[in-house]
Amino acid sequence: MRTDSILRIEELRVEYRSRELRQPARVAVRGLNLEVAAGEVFGFLGPNGAGKTTTINVLLGFVPPTSGAAYLFGVDVRRPIARQRIGYLPEQTYYYRFLSAEELLRFYGRLFQLAGGELDRRVVAALRLVDLEPVRRRPLRTYSKGMLQRIGLAQALINDPDLLILDEPTSGLDPVGRMKVREIIQRLKHEGKTVFFSSHELGEVETVCDRVGILCGGELKAAGRVTDLVREHQANLEQVFLRLIGYTPALPPAEGGVPGVGGAAAEIRR
Amino acid sequence: MSKVWALAGLVVWELYRRKDFYVLFVLTALITVLMGSAGLLHGVRAVRYVEELCLLLIWISALVIAVTTTARQLPAEREHRTLFPLLAKPVTRTEVILGKALGCWVATGLCLVVFYLFFGLVSAVREQAWPLASSLQALWLHWWMLAVVVAMSLLGSLLFATPAANATVQFLVAGGILLVGRHLNTVALGLPEPGQTLIYGLYFAIPHLELFDVRDLIVHDWAPVPWWACAAATLYAAAYAAAFLVLAAVTFRRQPLQ
């Protein structure tokens, strides 16, 4: 066990019981062990239904573990105090649309027991970081998807967290929106924040992450530095990812090799 | 406690932003017009009759606002998925329940103040008199009765599938208690066992909302009830509201979020 780990998951197993009688429970996560050190940017990869969001839901106390445990800053995630120093951005932005950006940040700030000048300072800093200060009084219902994603990041940063948990932060964004979110993550990394994020965007993960974990069928297939994984498997991250999740291409690669999945599939076949 | 107040503030702010308060103003205006039309009628009895109607309208409006506002709070948080970023903060589910209940209760209280203020002003203008003590007692007891209704509705929002189903059940329960609650013991006397025990049990278990209805004090210009009785009724309502909120908190903590 690392002494500087901020996030620790031990033998985590999560089962969802079926609502129908005599149906077996569905195992979402099985025997997951993971540690993330302070100041690290950790990418949590996996295909849809791999158990990434379930793991994040356990970390946030939304879903109780069937067995095993998870800790944030050494505190069991089932205790609300474990969430005092974290920021969370959900996969899709769900906020009170009758509020303006400033009102939303003030509300969330109060939940962290911020008040007065300190709250004002944090609200302004968060809005500046995500470039939303000029539109801070506009109701959220008038925001575009990219702006909502950025206000999501701002609310995740309102308490100046030491650990940020981002669930597919660039999902559904246009290239500019993605770039902005990526820049913010890079900036947070330079500020020494720990970032734990799940993503499908392998290029993005390769750019910003120190370490990655690849999850498939609820099991951790590999974890380590991107460079180490690439060297070990002698392939790029996309090929490593496809190989570890056991992807078998259904179609033969196009003549001369086509970039993208076709190209990766060709590499795997070889 | 600051987290609970922050959550309560959000509920009041939402009501204001969702223009729900406009409904209140329209209803208030309606009451005022009704009061004014009493000028067409003559005699004390006619005025009292109109006053009684106005107060009944206030009771129905307040009950509608309390139930509909409370019934949609938690289902809306789930439906719009705002519950997830909320519970990702250092907030317990019990604090969410308390914040929502407090917010709905305060919002309903604000509505009541506006209703009673309009009613009092029109009464004062027409009759050159305003039974202040009786009006204050009526407002206070009415507000505490709504605390019980808010707590019941919040619990119902965790038990029933939709806000509409919850609201319907709450209207039936509250209406039923107000209309027949006080007669249940008399009904029980005339029943064979085990119906008698059952109805007696129900009589002692339900919150007697009708105890908080002191509209007659205003209509007939009677003396206010003793203040100790007012305090006892407050404690009675607080105990029932607390019990429903504890049940709601326990239920909410046990419910999966997804």
Side-chain angles (χ1 to χ4, degrees):
Chain A
M1 191 178 81
R2 293 165 68 158
T3 52
D4 63 340
S5 63
I6 269 185
L7 183 158
R8 202 170 79 240
I9 297 172
E10 291 174 355
E11 289 297 331
L12 180 70
R13 184 181 176 87
V14 182
E15 289 177 8
Y16 290 119
R17 265 179 285 166
S18 173
R19 284 183 183 177
E20 286 165 32
L21 284 173
R22 293 189 194 139
Q23 285 294 313
R26 189 175 68 80
V27 182
V29 178
R30 54 187 90 211
L32 179 65
N33 288 292
L34 200 66
E35 279 189 62
V36 177
E40 215 172 35
V41 177
F42 188 90
F44 204 37
L45 307 176
N48 289 334
K52 303 188 297 292
T53 300
T54 299
T55 307
I56 288 177
N57 284 345
V58 169
L59 290 173
L60 295 165
F62 298 162
V63 173
T66 307
S67 64
Y71 304 90
L72 295 173
F73 306 98
V75 180
D76 193 310
V77 293
R78 281 171 288 197
R79 295 177 59 196
I81 194 72
R83 302 192 287 276
Q84 185 69 33
R85 288 162 64 194
I86 67 161
Y88 166 61
L89 173 70
E91 183 181 348
Q92 280 161 317
T93 45
Y94 308 112
Y95 304 109
Y96 304 99
R97 290 179 168 239
F98 57 91
L99 294 179
S100 68
E102 187 177 348
E103 288 163 350
L104 183 85
L105 295 185
R106 284 188 180 281
F107 167 65
Y108 283 134
R110 279 189 211 111
L111 296 182
F112 285 103
Q113 295 183 313
L114 297 170
E118 177 67 4
L119 180 59
D120 294 341
R121 198 181 59 74
R122 294 271 181 91
V123 168
V124 171
L127 286 169
R128 273 197 193 139
L129 186 75
V130 297
D131 297 332
L132 286 176
E133 217 193 354
V135 290
R136 65 191 207 170
R137 293 213 166 91
R138 259 174 57 184
L140 294 182
R141 65 172 175 271
T142 64
Y143 277 29
S144 68
K145 181 159 187 182
M147 289 162 86
L148 282 172
Q149 197 73 354
R150 279 188 280 148
I151 195 63
L153 259 178
Q155 65 81 27
L157 295 167
I158 193 68
N159 57 327
D160 192 20
D162 294 314
L163 168 65
L164 262 168
I165 298 176
L166 314 176
D167 194 359
E168 304 193 17
T170 56
S171 134
L173 293 184
D174 65 17
V176 179
R178 283 180 190 197
M179 185 58 79
K180 282 205 168 171
V181 171
R182 209 176 297 162
E183 276 171 14
I184 292 168
I185 295 174
Q186 296 273 25
R187 207 182 303 179
L188 295 169
K189 181 182 174 178
H190 288 126
E191 284 175 17
K193 306 280 186 203
T194 310
V195 182
F196 179 90
F197 79 99
S198 72
S199 182
H200 290 299
E201 304 295 329
L202 299 177
E204 177 181 278
V205 167
E206 214 161 357
T207 316
V208 297
C209 290
D210 298 312
R211 287 200 310 135
V212 295
I214 297 174
L215 199 69
C216 184
E219 283 180 61
L220 190 68
K221 299 291 182 187
R225 296 197 157 273
V226 176
T227 47
D228 293 345
L229 284 175
V230 167
R231 195 183 319 124
E232 190 185 320
H233 290 84
Q234 295 188 328
N236 66 32
L237 188 60
E238 186 183 60
Q239 291 160 353
V240 173
F241 175 78
L242 292 172
R243 204 174 287 175
L244 287 171
I245 66 166
Y247 175 76
T248 316
L251 293 170
E255 201 64 34
V258 174
V261 175
E267 290 288 330
I268 292 166
R269 280 186 166 184
R270 275 179 223 142
Chain B
M1 198 61 193
S2 63
K3 296 175 195 173
V4 173
W5 278 109
L7 284 157
L10 187 77
V11 175
V12 178
W13 200 238
E14 184 194 4
L15 281 179
Y16 168 69
R17 282 280 162 86
R18 286 172 59 102
K19 316 283 189 262
D20 285 29
F21 278 171
Y22 288 104
V23 177
L24 158 76
F25 286 123
V26 170
L27 286 169
T28 311
L30 204 70
I31 293 166
T32 315
V33 168
L34 206 64
M35 287 283 287
S37 71
L40 301 172
L41 307 164
H42 299 289
V44 180
R45 286 179 69 183
V47 172
R48 279 184 184 162
Y49 177 67
V50 173
E51 275 188 349
E52 212 168 321
L53 269 183
C54 291
L55 283 170
L56 179 67
L57 192 57
I58 289 177
W59 264 70
I60 294 169
S61 310
L63 191 65
V64 169
I65 290 171
V67 170
T68 53
T69 304
T70 314
R72 71 162 180 247
Q73 287 301 318
L74 290 172
E77 289 271 4
R78 278 179 198 272
E79 191 188 331
H80 302 141
R81 298 178 73 86
T82 45
L83 196 57
F84 293 92
L86 178 64
L87 288 177
K89 308 286 180 282
V91 178
T92 61
R93 295 192 194 193
T94 305
E95 283 168 333
V96 172
I97 290 287
L98 288 177
K100 294 286 182 191
L102 186 63
C104 293
W105 189 46
V106 168
T108 316
L110 290 173
C111 297
L112 273 189
V113 167
V114 176
F115 276 138
Y116 276 86
L117 210 61
F118 267 83
F119 178 79
L121 283 174
V122 176
S123 295
V125 168
R126 280 200 50 76
E127 295 181 53
Q128 278 81 46
W130 187 6
L132 187 64
S134 303
S135 298
L136 280 176
Q137 276 189 348
L139 171 65
W140 178 257
L141 291 173
H142 192 174
W143 191 38
W144 276 97
M145 185 280 278
L146 291 173
V148 180
V149 173
V150 162
M152 272 198 313
S153 304
L154 208 57
L155 173 62
S157 70
L158 293 161
L159 301 175
F160 298 104
T162 62
N166 181 25
T168 308
V169 171
Q170 298 306 330
F171 285 131
L172 286 174
V173 170
I177 292 174
L178 285 167
L179 291 173
V180 299
R182 74 183 75 192
H183 306 299
L184 280 179
N185 57 341
T186 324
V187 172
L189 280 174
L191 287 175
E193 287 295 350
Q196 192 177 68
T197 312
L198 209 72
I199 299 296
Y200 257 130
L202 194 66
Y203 176 76
F204 287 110
I206 57 167
H208 284 273
L209 303 178
E210 75 277 4
L211 293 175
F212 300 85
D213 183 3
V214 290
R215 284 176 290 164
D216 283 348
L217 300 185
I218 302 173
V219 175
H220 301 288
D221 211 4
W222 290 342
V225 293
W227 287 101
W228 65 263
C230 214
T234 306
L235 285 175
Y236 177 82
Y240 266 99
F244 285 125
L245 289 178
V246 167
L247 282 174
V250 170
T251 311
F252 193 35
R253 282 172 66 175
R254 288 184 176 185
Q255 274 184 352
L257 284 184
Q258 290 168 316

